């Protein structure tokens, strides 16, 4: 299959950066980047920035995403936000299972799966993150870890929903460290994820799924990473906070 038939998506993950007022201004810089792009462009912003980001992105091609959700629709879950709440606001994407959430907020493959299912049910598009720790790579179990994370996350997900899911391969050792996976490493593991989807569903589903790489992707290395057959976009942390850098990465997807 031709990689160009898959949707390329460049998504920024702002993490816990930018105030609502800063978001209002910054999204105005991102909107023209999205309008001139050959790919889909998403900004995943803190909950409190969503409303301003949506307002600033209105009328442009820039899509707005959240960085987390709770799997229950409503109820006694102090401090949490549901998929329906995000959908009602006009949010389109949501990052699920980011390694920082797994590491600092005790998310497991099981809760990640519940979140994926609830996001899809509400009509949100999950950006599902998987990836191995440095120790796991050194032990030679990268494939096993990533395969298991992907399989558990997709329990109960119908084949028809796959078109709404992006999978982001993010080796934990490459996130925010300045250490990028080589383009061959990224391609290899994105290919492993594609194989898992083929096993769970079928080859067409696997070939049609957008699989991003994330982890210190920047203006300098994006083109090489994005040129790889299995790499259909990027999830960008640090480099998404400067519009000039983010714009170069979006351009690299052409
Ligand atoms: P980074 O973060 O680009 O700053 O490494 C990527 C991510 O965590 O999604």
């Amino acid at each position: 299959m031709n990689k160009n038939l898959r949707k390329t998506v460049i998504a920024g993950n702002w993490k816990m950066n930018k105030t609502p007022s800063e978001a209002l201004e910054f999204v105005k810089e991102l909107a023209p980047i999205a309008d001139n792009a050959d790919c889909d462009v998403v900004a995943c912003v803190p909950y409190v920035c969503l409303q301003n980001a949506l307002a600033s992105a209105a009328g442009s091609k820039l899509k707005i995403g959240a960085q987390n959700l709770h799997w229950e629709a409503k109820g006694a879950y102090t401090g949490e936000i549901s998929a329906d709440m995000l959908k009602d606001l006009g949010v389109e994407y949501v990052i699920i299972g980011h390694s920082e959430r797994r590491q600092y907020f005790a998310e497991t493959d099981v809760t990640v799966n519940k979140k994926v299912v609830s996001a899809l049910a509400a009509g949100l598009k999950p950006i599902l993150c998987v990836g191995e720790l440095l120790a796991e790579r050194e032990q030679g179990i990268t494939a096993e870890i990533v395969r298991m994370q992907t399989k558990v996350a997709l329990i109960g997900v119908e084949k028809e929903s796959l078109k709404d899911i992006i999978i982001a391969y993010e080796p934990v050792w490459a996130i925010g460290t300045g250490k990028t996976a080589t383009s061959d490493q990224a391609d290899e593991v994105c290919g492993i994820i594609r194989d898992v989807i083929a096993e769970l569903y079928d080859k067409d589903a696997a070939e049609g799924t957008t699989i991003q790489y994330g982890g210190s992707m920047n203006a300098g290395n994006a083109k090489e990473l994005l040129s790889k057959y299995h790499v259909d976009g990027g999830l960008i942390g640090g480099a998404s906070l400067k519009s000039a850098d983010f714009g170069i990465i979006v351009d690299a997807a052409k």
Side-chain angles (χ1 to χ4, degrees), residues 13 15 98 100 170 174-177 214-217 235-239:
N13 173 13
K15 310 193 179 186
H98 190 279
E100 286 151 16
E170 297 209 309
I175 294 178
T177 56
S216 299
M217 194 188 268
L235 184 55
I236 324 295

